[in-house]
Amino acid sequence: MVLNFKNNRVSIYLFLISLIILTNYLLYNLEVMQPLSATAVIGSLIDFLIVIPVTTYFLIIRKKYSLKYMGLVLLAGYGLAYFIIPNHHLATYSFIPYIIAFSEGALILIELYLIYKVVKVLPEILKKLKNNDINTSYFLLNLRKNIEEYFPNRRIIHVLLSDLSMFYYSLFSWKRKVQISTGQTFTYHNKTSVLAVYIMIIHATVIESVGLHYLLHEWNAIIAFILLLFNIYAILFSLAEIQAIRLTPFLLTDKILYLQVGITSSMELPLNKIKEFKYYDGPEKLSSTEQKNIYDARVLDFIQEKPMFEINLKEKQKIHLIFGITREVDRIILNVDDSQTFYRSLLEKLEFNS
């Protein structure tokens, strides 16, 4: 049987990580392995702080997620080392938490430098944002367009763009209302439980933050502080999703269909690129192969409803995901609250553009 690496990379990853954890656990708990030399401890630390992060990067993070997650992976690796390696062995390497903290600090400094680069041209960007036809509701879309003029093809700048959008929607958009100067808007969340999902996530994160921070602070204050920052980030992200979903309905103009789902995905689709628009008649659950070529423009839900509509494209178009990740698709599936009006309106626009 030929192993399809792409489809099985998560299984391969879990197998490798489980093997590393198991072998290291047995190393310190089997009597036949005692006494252990100093090199055995060094080998374990290499497993947890180098092998696991590198494996995670190549099998999980690469091309899909931001490198910022590597800090969390490194932290998790040290946590595994702390619980598996006996304290009298690990005490010799008490400097490791400081190295991890330094690494996190370096990532923060890099991001601050990028912020400085953006701030230098921010007055011009803000001036252009004010003159945009699509008003402040579509902050992420407008910001991306303007930043690309100054920093074309700079992936790391797009990572920063995600953070700027997150801070805007989570902290500065609460008094905003949907503001559109042209086109028709269609909400996509009112008939779902997506807002309740994110409120539950925020609630669980707050409870976990308080309890875990207290426990970890007794063990290591630096690690507790780093985890607290990650939890604050998660809360801000969830708040941003709530606000972005509320403020960015799908927008249909004479030439373009704008699809933005929270801050996690968006697409600017020219209507002349649409090959077919119809009610969805496919399976309720899509295979992993189908998902690679489809933009699923639906929100999270406790019970995910079957898609209402399907859009087939003449050629692959780009969608923007979080942290500057892009992907090309040739199909779109989506739901809207006012399905009949959306169906009639889009058909009329397509006929006009044919």
Side-chain angles (χ1 to χ4, degrees), residues 126-139:
L126 291 175
K127 186 176 180 180
K128 289 184 177 182
L129 283 174
K130 289 181 180 179
N131 295 328
N132 256 326
D133 287 336
I134 302 171
N135 217 315
T136 52
S137 292
Y138 293 86
F139 177 82

Side-chain angles (χ1 to χ4, degrees), residues 52-75 100 103-108 110-111 114 155-160 162-163 230 233 322-325:
I52 286 181
V54 169
T55 303
T56 303
Y57 172 75
F58 282 106
L59 293 182
I60 303 296
I61 292 177
R62 187 168 65 102
K63 295 183 180 180
K64 286 196 170 185
Y65 303 101
S66 168
L67 278 174
K68 291 198 285 188
Y69 286 105
M70 286 300 293
L72 188 58
V73 174
L74 194 63
L75 193 63
I100 295 174
S103 302
E104 291 294 323
L107 288 173
I108 292 172
I110 291 172
E111 186 151 326
L114 293 175
R155 167 74 179 275
I156 197 163
I157 292 294
H158 284 276
V159 173
L160 176 62
S162 293
D163 284 345
F230 275 112
Y233 187 93
I322 196 166
F323 301 130
I325 300 166

